[in-house]
Amino acid sequence: MDSAVECWVRITGWLRECAPGSYAQLSSPAAPEMIRETEQRIGSVIHPDLREILLVNNGCDRPGMDRTTLISPNYCDVTNKGLGILGLTHIEAVHEHMIWIHENAAEEGSADEDEPLWKPSYVPVTSEWDGFYGTFIDSDTGKLGSWSEGETTKLHQSSLADLLRDAFEQLRHAHLDDEGFPKVDNGFLVWNKY
């Protein structure tokens, strides 16, 4: 089986060749020191699968990007979920937001300690622009999970490599010249008509 970073490199290679506008949205690599600083700020290590990807591309983060919105409106969706791959700035913002939601639920007495809304070891990988839906990797287990507004988080048996392998398989069958989906439109990857 291919590792997560091997799958990521295949995806970015496909984007470079077939969807250069989407490829241009990806950031340069994160420096190891930047990753360590993020780990300190979120209070959790970043799972090695995600760390290796961040060392290739720091999501769609740009130098000097602020956190006035949870997610940049110009993010690159490579997973067929309408979710952008997060860089360190957005990993921190979404993690902080989810911790805040969990703590508020605990204060209101609506949190379930057996099934917490969020744990410090949950590190966001993808997110919808408003942060209400996304996927995370549990740094303790390497398993992927998901969250959505108004629901508890769910852990899955899949890994980050599984998510990216599935995305690449769909890209390999993309409609480059017709109206099917996924497709490339003016150099950008489009997963659906919405």
Side-chain angles (χ1 to χ4, degrees):
M1 283 281 171
D2 299 329
S3 70
V5 74
E6 289 169 327
C7 294
W8 180 249
V9 168
R10 281 193 193 99
I11 287 171
T12 58
W14 186 93
L15 290 172
R16 183 177 47 250
E17 183 179 324
C18 300
S22 292
Y23 179 78
Q25 291 177 315
L26 296 172
S27 292
S28 57
E33 181 176 306
M34 294 167 61
I35 295 172
R36 284 191 296 276
E37 290 169 357
T38 291
E39 289 174 329
Q40 289 176 339
R41 284 192 284 273
I42 67 173
S44 179
V45 298
I46 292 176
H47 191 273
D49 287 351
L50 181 55
R51 174 185 293 273
E52 288 179 0
I53 289 170
L54 291 166
L55 292 170
V56 174
N57 295 102
N58 186 16
C60 297
D61 282 4
R62 297 283 182 246
M65 180 178 281
D66 67 23
R67 290 177 40 185
T68 55
T69 60
L70 263 184
I71 305 299
S72 167
N74 298 319
Y75 64 85
C76 183
D77 172 13
V78 298
T79 65
N80 188 22
K81 309 261 188 233
L83 307 171
I85 294 289
L86 303 180
L88 294 170
T89 300
H90 291 127
I91 286 171
E92 290 180 31
V94 173
H95 191 274
E96 181 180 298
H97 176 73
M98 295 304 295
I99 289 287
W100 178 81
I101 288 172
H102 174 74
E103 289 173 352
N104 278 350
E107 286 176 14
E108 294 172 2
S110 60
D112 181 351
E113 290 307 313
D114 293 329
E115 292 187 40
L117 292 172
W118 196 259
K119 293 177 170 178
S121 65
Y122 293 172
V123 178
V125 175
T126 66
S127 179
E128 188 180 46
W129 70 271
D130 59 9
F132 288 130
Y133 302 89
T135 58
F136 62 86
I137 189 167
D138 185 340
S139 289
D140 292 339
T141 66
K143 292 181 180 174
L144 277 189
S146 60
W147 80 88
S148 61
E149 183 179 18
E151 294 185 21
T152 59
T153 54
K154 296 176 179 79
L155 275 174
H156 311 291
Q157 295 302 314
S158 59
S159 67
L160 184 53
D162 295 332
L163 174 75
L164 297 174
R165 190 176 305 108
D166 178 60
F168 180 70
E169 284 304 311
Q170 292 179 56
L171 291 177
R172 286 183 50 218
H173 303 290
H175 300 265
L176 301 180
D177 299 320
D178 63 28
E179 294 301 312
F181 292 95
K183 70 177 185 175
V184 175
D185 186 13
N186 293 319
F188 288 88
L189 175 62
V190 180
W191 284 99
N192 60 46
K193 61 183 175 183
Y194 302 106

